Amino acid sequence: MSMITRPRPGDYPDQYHAYLSAARGEGLAEALEHAGGEELRTRALVPDNKWEYRYAPGKWTTQEVFQHIIDIERVFAYRALCIARNEKADLPGMDEDAYQAESRAGRRDIDDIMRELKAVRSATIELFASFDAEALSKAGTANGKHITVPALGWIIAGHSEHHLRIIRERYLG
C-alpha cells in the first residue's frame, strides 16, 4: 500500500475527529496493522466470564463490541469503494444499534468473531492497497456528509482503537 497520510480537517465530518485522533501510525497501512495487533492483545485480556459482560445497563457486551468493530469496518470500506469508483449518490447512513440488535453476536463463539475480524481487516488493507492516487483523491457523501476515501480508512483504524480502549477501561478496568 502506498503511503496514505492522515486526512485533514474538512476531509471528514467533525463527528469522526475522535476516531482519527485514536488511530496510531504515520500511514494508513501502519494504522490498520496497529489496530489489528491491539485487537489481538485486547482479546487476550478478556477472561471467558467477561464476554457477556455489560459495564452498564443498555450497553453492549464485550462480544458485541467486537462485532460492532467488524460491522463498521465493512460499512466504511464499502463507502470507500463506492467513492473510489466514482459513485455520485449520497451513501446511506446506518443505525449501529439496529445492526447490533440483528448481529446475534451473543450466539457466536468469540474465536469465530476474531477470525472474521482478521479476514475483514485483511480485505480492508487489500482494498486500500488497490487504490491508486486518483482513487485516493476522491471525495463523496455518506449520510449527507462530505468525506474522502483516505479519511474512511483512517476512521476504520481509529474506530477500532477507540472501542478497544473502552473495553480495556470500562469492561476490564
Side-chain angles (χ1 to χ4, degrees):
M1 177 185 308
S2 64
M3 177 63 110
I4 302 172
T5 58
R6 283 182 186 272
R8 297 178 311 272
D11 289 346
Y12 54 90
D14 290 341
Q15 71 198 54
Y16 296 119
H17 179 74
Y19 296 152
L20 287 157
S21 295
R24 299 288 168 248
E26 295 301 315
L28 179 58
E30 184 181 351
L32 290 168
E33 292 291 341
H34 187 273
E38 288 301 302
E39 289 155 1
L40 293 175
R41 281 186 280 283
T42 302
R43 189 263 182 257
L45 294 173
V46 180
D48 289 343
N49 66 345
K50 286 280 193 168
W51 289 109
E52 292 301 317
Y53 173 73
R54 298 173 197 276
Y55 70 87
K59 296 298 182 180
W60 295 337
T61 67
T62 310
Q63 196 157 331
E64 289 170 337
V65 173
F66 274 94
Q67 183 64 57
H68 169 70
I69 292 169
I70 294 168
D71 289 352
I72 293 298
E73 184 155 341
R74 279 196 164 120
V75 169
F76 281 61
Y78 171 74
R79 289 175 178 176
L81 173 67
C82 291
I83 293 168
R85 299 293 193 258
N86 217 28
E87 177 62 62
K88 297 300 182 194
D90 180 23
L91 299 168
M94 63 173 285
D95 179 339
E96 62 190 31
D97 290 317
Y99 274 51
Q100 192 56 48
E102 294 298 322
S103 75
R104 295 165 186 79
R107 297 181 191 170
R108 297 185 64 198
D109 182 82
I110 190 59
D111 290 331
D112 292 341
I113 290 173
M114 295 307 293
R115 188 172 46 256
E116 180 184 3
L117 179 54
K118 183 179 178 182
V120 169
R121 179 60 46 73
S122 179
T124 298
I125 290 168
E126 292 301 323
L127 175 66
F128 280 88
S130 76
F131 294 152
D132 62 14
E134 183 179 349
L136 290 167
S137 72
K138 293 187 178 177
T141 57
N143 201 23
K145 310 271 183 171
H146 172 83
I147 196 157
T148 66
V149 171
L152 287 158
W154 280 92
I155 291 166
I156 289 168
H159 175 263
S160 177
E161 299 273 8
H162 166 81
H163 281 290
L164 296 170
R165 181 184 52 77
I166 290 173
I167 288 172
R168 290 188 300 270
E169 291 175 1
R170 299 184 188 168
Y171 292 76
L172 302 175

